[in-house]
Amino acid sequence: MSSKRKLGKPTDQRMAMLRAMTTYLLETGHLKTTYARAKEVAPITEKMITLAKKNDLAAYRQALSFLTKEDVAKKLFDEIGPKYGDRNGGYTRVLKMGPRRGDAAEMAYIELV
């Protein structure tokens, strides 16, 4: 899963952050972060949901190798995957929220549709 943006971090830190953010998004269904980060998390989350729609052991293990919590992977395959069974992509929505007070970074709200 290659990243388009470096987000000011070395590869290992960036991937750890994206793994954690993807896990949290799948766990809660929504996430508030910067716009650039949201744009990076969205396609990774879409790929995880696509894996869940396959619903086989290989896909489960692949998702488990990326997500940081085992119970989130179980939720992904038991609840989220079947929920989007008839939908072809477009599982996430990124909404801009305006600039952050401290450093004026563009903030966004990403959620599962």
Side-chain angles (χ1 to χ4, degrees):
M1 298 189 188
S2 64
S3 179
K4 295 183 289 262
R5 296 170 186 85
K6 292 194 176 180
L7 303 172
K9 295 187 182 306
T11 306
D12 58 338
Q13 292 176 14
R14 181 172 61 247
M15 288 311 295
M17 179 189 70
L18 292 173
R19 286 177 64 193
M21 290 174 76
T22 302
T23 304
Y24 184 79
L25 176 59
L26 290 170
E27 187 176 27
T28 62
H30 57 86
L31 177 67
K32 181 180 169 186
T33 183
T34 63
Y35 185 65
R37 288 179 180 183
K39 294 288 279 187
E40 284 301 304
V41 169
I44 297 172
T45 305
E46 303 261 344
K47 286 175 188 161
M48 289 295 122
I49 293 173
T50 303
L51 277 176
K53 285 170 62 176
K54 287 183 186 175
N55 202 16
D56 60 352
L57 184 61
Y60 182 76
R61 287 180 175 167
Q62 199 172 346
L64 205 56
S65 73
F66 188 81
L67 298 174
T68 57
K69 294 182 180 177
E70 197 171 331
D71 56 328
V72 174
K74 185 160 176 50
K75 177 183 177 184
L76 176 66
F77 277 77
D78 293 346
E79 299 170 27
I80 300 171
K83 178 180 165 189
Y84 295 112
D86 56 342
R87 189 178 180 113
N88 296 323
Y91 313 118
T92 58
R93 176 187 301 139
V94 178
L95 303 167
K96 284 187 175 180
M97 294 174 52
R100 181 162 54 194
R101 183 183 165 106
D103 59 359
E106 185 68 38
M107 294 301 286
Y109 185 78
I110 182 169
E111 61 188 358
L112 298 176
V113 177

